[in-house]
Amino acid sequence: MALPTVLRRSDADVRSTTAARKIKDMPIVNLTMPVAMSGYMVAMLHKAMRETGCSATCWGSITEDMTIPKVWLEKCRRYGSRKVAMREKEFGIWLPYTWQDYYDNVKSFCLGMKALGLERGETVAFIGSNRPHALWAEMAALCAGAIPTWLFKDSLLDETEYIVRHAEARFYIAEGQEEVDKGLWIRERCPKLERIIWEDPKGMRYYKDPVLISYGEVQQMGQEYERGHPGIFEEMIAEGKADDTCLIFYTSGTTALPKGAVLTHRNMLSMGRNLLWVDPGRPQIRAVRKHLRLAFSGSPLGLRPGAGLTSPLTLKGRGTSFSNLSAKNYNSLPSIL
């Protein structure tokens, strides 16, 4: 497998803005599309490999039983409330979420979907912005043995319908009203679709369709489900295998209908291993979430020992955010650099 190339930008390639001056000397990682599409979760392998003394060439560390949720669960247990897992900027203030917060939110949402009938191997469609709630829901689906697939937030109705129907998604997880409207419009043409879960309540007050359920309600159902099924969350995670399907990513469909690329946990973990070649993951490095939509990626360079993951920066405020966070890594689209 060809390794990602590492480039360094020259002064002529960078705009003379405050943010640009801060990033012009950073190494720029040019990831191939499968690596870029791998999602933020693959970088958790940084932690597993580094803490076991394994190098990037140690393929044997990816065992038959290793999966993304198992690596994630081990890290949650190790760090708990002592370390920040991710941050989101709300009203100008960075709000931290610890690994315990991460665990609690993923667990309750996972068991909530289980209570709604989600089974191992079924597909869950996601549409929305790069926000902690979206990442928690994606990890929750993985922990349940389900298969997440992401859509662009600005996908048109026919594009949304095609992917949801083709993937045979049973659950459709939407950020807010706009994404919910798309789901309601396409559901009659997507026979497998049973539930639309929304997170942002703005504009949702008068939506009474029985197919709809809020993010918070799902988490409450999960907490009730756990009381009647103690230990089932860890049991579901333990069932996973490295060669199980982890994610399905659809191509953009610019030249033909979108095609679903199926990636296993082994694929994802090997991508995380390859990232070690270009960024060893030194402790205390903070990585800034990219503007790239989650349909393509989360933050492959984000979750590593001692690192904090931030939610996306707006174009207007990224220079200030760099100063506030003392970010060492900046992940973005080439046009934004």
Side-chain angles (χ1 to χ4, degrees):
M1 177 184 294
L3 295 176
T5 57
V6 181
L7 306 175
R8 187 173 296 276
R9 293 187 70 86
S10 64
D11 291 348
D13 295 328
V14 181
R15 300 182 183 91
S16 57
T17 64
T18 302
R21 286 196 295 272
K22 291 178 181 294
I23 67 172
K24 68 179 181 180
D25 293 325
M26 290 184 183
I28 301 238
V29 182
N30 181 17
L31 297 171
T32 58
M33 183 56 68
V35 176
M37 289 169 61
S38 61
Y40 82 101
M41 300 157 296
V42 301
M44 286 188 289
L45 187 60
H46 282 63
K47 178 257 175 197
M49 286 185 167
R50 288 179 60 80
E51 294 191 356
T52 57
C54 184
S55 68
T57 59
C58 186
W59 171 256
S61 65
I62 303 178
T63 65
E64 295 296 325
D65 291 326
M66 183 178 285
T67 64
I68 294 293
K70 289 178 183 178
V71 175
W72 168 83
L73 179 60
E74 195 277 334
K75 194 167 185 180
C76 289
R77 288 171 172 170
R78 178 177 293 270
Y79 294 141
S81 299
R82 296 181 297 105
K83 286 187 179 291
V84 173
M86 62 183 67
R87 297 174 176 85
E88 181 180 31
K89 199 168 190 179
E90 190 75 23
F91 301 111
I93 300 174
W94 285 104
L95 305 178
Y97 296 98
T98 66
W99 284 95
Q100 187 62 48
D101 297 329
Y102 198 176
Y103 172 84
D104 293 339
N105 279 283
V106 168
K107 181 178 182 179
S108 60
F109 196 82
C110 173
L111 296 181
M113 289 194 293
K114 181 71 175 177
L116 288 170
L118 181 66
E119 298 292 340
R120 178 173 293 273
E122 293 183 327
T123 308
V124 180
F126 292 80
I127 182 169
S129 302
N130 304 13
R131 298 192 60 229
H133 290 83
L135 302 181
W136 299 339
E138 182 179 34
M139 182 61 74
L142 289 172
C143 290
I147 306 169
T149 185
W150 275 94
L151 296 90
F152 286 113
K153 183 178 180 179
D154 55 359
S155 294
L156 301 177
L157 288 174
D158 57 343
E159 296 169 337
T160 303
E161 176 193 341
Y162 176 80
I163 292 178
V164 173
R165 178 164 43 83
H166 186 267
E168 299 184 342
R170 186 175 179 184
F171 289 74
Y172 175 94
I173 300 180
E175 180 180 0
Q177 182 184 19
E178 181 180 352
E179 293 76 34
V180 167
D181 286 343
K182 293 178 183 180
L184 291 174
W185 186 273
I186 68 171
R187 64 172 175 159
E188 292 184 357
R189 293 178 291 279
C190 299
K192 296 286 186 178
L193 183 60
E194 295 182 8
R195 284 287 185 172
I196 297 175
I197 303 172
W198 54 269
E199 190 274 321
D200 187 351
K202 185 176 181 180
M204 295 296 299
R205 178 179 299 177
Y206 300 108
Y207 282 65
K208 304 298 182 182
D209 197 301
V211 76
L212 297 174
I213 185 170
S214 72
Y215 197 103
E217 289 175 315
V218 175
Q219 289 189 311
Q220 290 177 1
M221 293 178 64
Q223 294 166 2
E224 296 173 1
Y225 188 84
E226 182 186 13
R227 287 191 282 270
H229 303 80
I232 190 172
F233 180 64
E234 285 74 14
E235 291 173 6
M236 289 191 296
I237 293 177
E239 293 177 13
K241 301 295 182 183
D243 293 318
D244 291 345
T245 299
C246 181
L247 295 160
I248 299 177
F249 290 103
Y250 278 84
T251 60
S252 60
T254 53
T255 58
L257 291 175
K259 302 173 182 62
V262 179
L263 297 179
T264 66
H265 288 273
R266 188 184 298 276
N267 293 145
M268 304 289 284
L269 293 168
S270 64
M271 293 174 191
R273 178 200 59 179
N274 290 340
L275 290 176
L276 288 169
W277 286 96
V278 295
D279 189 347
R282 296 180 298 278
Q284 304 307 319
I285 290 179
R286 298 188 181 117
V288 178
R289 286 296 310 274
K290 67 187 72 173
H291 304 278
L292 187 60
R293 291 166 286 187
L294 276 172
F296 275 109
S297 175
S299 182
L301 302 177
L303 297 181
R304 52 170 64 88
L309 176 67
T310 71
S311 66
L313 305 178
T314 61
L315 292 176
K316 182 178 180 180
R318 69 182 162 165
T320 303
S321 298
F322 258 96
S323 301
N324 292 341
L325 289 174
S326 300
K328 305 299 183 183
N329 292 77
Y330 178 61
N331 226 9
S332 178
L333 291 167
S335 59
I336 296 176
L337 289 177

